[in-house]
Amino acid sequence: MAPRIQLEKAAWRWVETVKPEDIRQEHIELAYRVNLPACKRGACRRNCKGNPNCLVGIGEQAWLGEIDENAFHNIDDPNSERRDKNTFVGLTNLGATCYVNTFLQVWFHNLELRRSLYQCHNSRAQEHNVESDYEPQSICEHLQYLFALLQNSNRKYIDPSGLVKALGLDTGQQQDAQEFSKLFLSLLEDTLSKQKNPNLQNVIQRQFCGQFSYVTVLPQNFMISHWVCLKENNIKLLYLSTLQEEKLDGENRYFCENCQNKQSATRRIKLHSLPPTLNLQLMRFVFDRQTGHKKKLNTFISFPEQLDMGPFLEGKQDQKCVYELSAVLIHRGISAYSGHYIAHVKDARTGDWYKFNDEEIEKMEGKKLQLGIEEDIAETVKSQTRKPKCSKGYHCSRNAYMLVYKVQEEESADPSRTNVEVPAFLQRLVDQDNHKFEEWCSEMADMRKQSVDKGKAKHEEVKELYELLPTKDGEPYEFIPLDWLKKWLDDSTATKEIDNSLFLCSHGKLHPDKVGESKRVSRQAAQLLYERYGGGPRLDDSSLCRECVGQRCRVLRLKNQLNEDYKEVSNLVKRTLSGEGYWVGKASLRSWRQLALEQLEEDEHETKHSNGQTNGQGPHINNSKDLSEGNEDEMKTFNEDIVCSHGGLSILETERKLVSSEVWTKLRAYFPKAPEFNQNQESCQQCLTLEQEEKDNEAVSKMMALDQKNQLLNLFHEKNRPTLTKWPQGTDILYIVPLFFVDEWRKFIRRPTKSSPVSNVGNTLLLCPHGGFMFTYDSLINGDAQHIALLWPNEWEVISRLFIVDQPISIHCFKQTTPSGLTTEYTTQPDLCWECRESFLFQQQRDLREYTQATIYIRKVIEDKRMIKEAAPEMNASSSEAEEEKEEHPKVDGEKDPDFSQIMHAFSVAPFDQNLSIDGKSLTDDSATLGSLGVIPESIICLKADEPIADYAAMDDVYQVRMPEEGFKGTGLLGH
């Protein structure tokens, strides 16, 4: 079958010769590709999306032959979780607990330890009701139950989370395995020591403890012995050279307690007794002094299968000295902080070696230890050294972490020596867990069978229905989504209902563009599918949309004709107009081809439920090359640029052009809903009225502005203005208005057509809530005058006549002769409100004293010369005698004040040499804030220094000592 694009073109090739009004049923069926030949199996590699009749390659191949029943379920065989015959039980890795699992397996295979644990008293387990789950509490109870499961569980592996949780271990963090082993055995030793049975109280000592002593011999043959208990973590047993005599001389001489003097001596270790089990730690992890971290030693170590300790044992006549290798713990990895632990353990009953790797357990071939690949995993490029040859009876390893040796026993026919029976009270709990496991296996098997049965039924259903899918010529048919059919063939257990809603056009029928995503099937097959799975809406042969096909036909024809029409329209608009014409926006005329192309593309790709834009309502045009600058960038619809806000013809004749009816007919074909205005169409009367009103208003505003300017000419030009500092002669009254009013009035006078006229004088802005004036004569002179403007009495008469004044405000000057001379008094009308004035001043002072960011200057006085320098620690003091710098210092509330060091580093003056003052007042209170001392923004603090310290390190030390512990509140005191 031809590719999808070729099928798409072929489906609409007929539009070149057929007009929309001439479309017949055969054209509609061509557009929907109803009559395309169906693909045959084997001829189509993958499904043809462009062909609704292609029903191959949609997933049916998996159902047409014999199918393995395992394809009908995703449930693993529960028997794969069952323990194999004649093997051991594994332990689940809870995240990073492999080191725990390896030790548990080693301890489990210590038959004496296991037998002793089983003998521990456990009333909770003995009295437990098997109707509920058993939950151990103590470490001993957990270990008892865990060992019983490891021995007789039906499971392939068990979960040690109960014990791990009881030990308080972090399952996501790998602990130091050696430390864990030592601490756990100590904990177990303490637990067993509390047992009533005396044979259990010293199990750990009997199994893992011996004795040795340090013997120091002085020249006078005086011997000093230090006895030490030999614990399981004593590494020195492996390095036999450490058991040889050591000379103590030179700097390393022995200090004798008796003579209180250093003496040359010899020292050696004497072994007095050895335990049945030797746990030899190989010290793989050592401290690297250069990096400050642990590192792993990856060197090869050779160790024997049999270890004879006789030559190193004192008084060995009654002790067994030959040990056999029984376990090797491996640490795979090159880092001391990561890696993986596994255990190779020898079965005490059979002599076979097993590898315990968490859940996985592997039996080694033969009767020999085989480390094999364990030695390759840790190798890196730098550490790839050749494995040394091992002597007979020896093994070599670079990853061995701990060796376990057991004393060699004489062969005995007594099976009780190697057989450890699980006590009845523990076996009852194991049987309970085995019963739960068997129930789970049965449940999983039933679920597998149910899935298989459903799959087989679905298999028969699919085979039956798939044969009914193809439709025959002349028979009724329906369309089904391709994706649904694929999921129906892929999902062997459940399928959602059929959903055709995404395939609908705006007319509620099948959209022509969605044919490639659907398949045409027989009505019989469709009926069965809808009965079994439901859904809708159903799309049959009556769902082919004539409207969409007609619209697509029109769009495709216009797209093919667009370039030709564009050339013709361009030529026609250049001709002289004769006859009736139509108004077209100049911007629309320049960009109509781009608008038409985008409109046609939008119509062509119209999606389902689209109530979107049709002809004449095209998309927003942005950054089009055909558009000119101006309001054309905002144009959305053809010819909208000459439509006013009232929907009529725009009154701007310069933005439109009159074109012939022939041009308009061609444009109308692309934009059938575009606004139409013929030559006789009058411009919008509302716009004309508004235009005239605007012109009238502008004329009135100009006249008003000219009149006000002529009456207040000095105020406008800001000439001949009265001042308070030099009261003008000839008047005893001046009027006050807000400066904001004057500024707004001047804006109107300058641009009367662009600015709004001012109608009110808002003097209440200068009054308090009680109607009193907020400023005094003195405050106006000292800075408050920035908020007001002063007027002459004649100006006030004009202001009162031209504007609405809410409250007159004036200031009066009274002069009178007194015995002491001529005095002048100034009053305001309304009177000053002292209550509000004091509140205003209080808030103003408070704002000055409470700040979080401000600039404060420090002036250092040097022998009648002054140097002004901002206390900035990041800047060096200048060598010049006087220098000014300014820098803002942000201060966060609660932060310790840093300004001691700022002054110290800026002026080389330590805190105890700083004498600070402001306005002659010394700043000596270390607990005060800047605000309480009157230090406001822009203040200048004088610094007089005692003899400065040149040593900055010494100053820093003093600063650390003198710095108050809690810092300073507010902005903080700069220094003392």
Side-chain angles (χ1 to χ4, degrees), residues 62-87:
W63 301 90
L64 298 182
E66 293 298 326
I67 302 179
D68 184 358
E69 66 177 29
N70 289 326
F72 297 127
H73 66 80
N74 58 355
I75 302 173
D76 294 333
D77 184 2
N79 289 314
S80 64
E81 302 289 309
R82 189 181 301 279
R83 175 183 183 179
D84 294 335
K85 189 177 180 180
N86 296 326
T87 189

Side-chain angles (χ1 to χ4, degrees), residues 582-583 639 642-643 649 664 668 672-678 681:
Y582 292 85
W583 290 111
N639 227 25
I642 61 172
V643 178
L649 180 61
W664 179 250
R668 189 71 168 174
K673 293 186 179 180
E676 179 179 294
F677 302 105
N678 60 30
Q681 178 73 46

Side-chain angles (χ1 to χ4, degrees), residues 606-620:
E606 183 185 20
T607 56
K608 69 177 184 69
H609 299 312
S610 175
N611 55 0
Q613 301 164 358
T614 56
N615 300 319
Q617 298 177 348
H620 183 91

Side-chain angles (χ1 to χ4, degrees), residues 857-871 875-885 903-909 940-945:
Y857 296 93
I858 306 298
R859 173 177 294 161
K860 183 180 179 183
V861 181
I862 306 176
E863 298 179 356
D864 297 331
K865 296 180 180 180
R866 291 179 176 178
M867 179 177 69
I868 301 175
K869 173 131 181 95
E870 178 64 20
M875 302 181 65
N876 296 323
S878 172
S879 59
S880 62
E881 293 185 351
E883 181 179 351
E884 287 192 9
E885 293 179 9
I903 299 176
M904 180 178 69
H905 290 290
F907 297 106
S908 301
V909 179
I940 298 177
I941 296 177
C942 288
L943 167 65
K944 290 184 178 180

Side-chain angles (χ1 to χ4, degrees), residues 197-401:
N197 188 342
N199 294 327
L200 301 178
Q201 294 176 357
N202 59 352
V203 171
I204 299 301
Q205 292 92 329
R206 291 202 312 268
Q207 279 295 307
F208 302 106
C209 291
Q211 285 185 329
F212 70 92
S213 62
Y214 287 108
V215 178
T216 305
V217 180
L218 299 177
Q220 296 82 5
N221 292 325
F222 182 77
M223 183 175 68
I224 300 174
S225 297
H226 299 276
W227 285 79
V228 182
C229 180
L230 179 61
K231 289 286 188 176
E232 51 86 20
N233 63 326
N234 192 332
I235 182 59
K236 293 185 178 179
L237 284 177
L238 188 63
Y239 297 96
L240 301 182
S241 61
T242 63
L243 300 178
Q244 305 300 323
E245 188 175 85
E246 176 187 5
K247 290 184 178 181
L248 303 178
D249 52 12
E251 294 295 330
N252 196 28
R253 288 179 297 167
Y254 179 78
F255 181 80
C256 180
E257 294 287 346
N258 294 326
C259 62
Q260 293 294 308
N261 194 12
K262 283 190 174 184
Q263 300 279 347
S264 297
T266 59
R267 172 182 287 174
R268 68 186 182 92
I269 295 174
K270 285 187 177 182
L271 300 179
H272 300 280
S273 65
L274 294 174
T277 303
L278 291 179
N279 290 343
L280 305 182
Q281 299 289 346
L282 302 186
M283 300 296 286
R284 282 291 183 188
F285 302 153
V286 296
F287 182 76
D288 188 343
R289 294 182 180 274
Q290 292 183 347
T291 63
H293 298 285
K294 286 194 302 183
K295 70 176 181 179
K296 183 186 176 185
L297 299 179
N298 295 305
T299 54
F300 280 103
I301 292 179
S302 175
F303 52 92
E305 292 183 0
Q306 284 193 349
L307 178 63
D308 185 4
M309 297 297 294
F312 313 101
L313 191 63
E314 299 287 336
K316 61 184 178 180
Q317 293 81 4
D318 300 329
Q319 292 197 41
K320 296 179 180 180
C321 304
V322 179
Y323 288 81
E324 291 183 342
L325 185 66
S326 63
V328 180
L329 268 65
I330 297 291
H331 175 268
R332 295 195 309 201
I334 60 174
S335 170
Y337 298 95
S338 62
H340 182 61
Y341 289 91
I342 64 172
H344 292 262
V345 183
K346 184 178 182 181
D347 184 5
R349 295 182 299 108
T350 65
D352 296 324
W353 280 90
Y354 290 83
K355 182 171 74 172
F356 292 86
N357 186 4
D358 293 328
E359 296 92 342
E360 300 297 327
I361 299 174
E362 180 184 354
K363 181 181 178 183
M364 300 290 101
E365 295 181 2
K367 299 285 184 177
K368 296 292 184 180
L369 170 64
Q370 300 177 27
L371 297 178
I373 196 172
E374 314 303 338
E375 293 307 312
D376 300 330
I377 292 192
E379 290 193 2
T380 61
V381 175
K382 293 183 179 180
S383 64
Q384 284 182 351
T385 56
R386 181 176 298 179
K387 183 177 181 179
K389 292 183 178 181
C390 291
S391 303
K392 186 176 181 180
Y394 280 78
H395 297 280
C396 290
S397 172
R398 73 190 319 169
N399 287 328
Y401 179 82

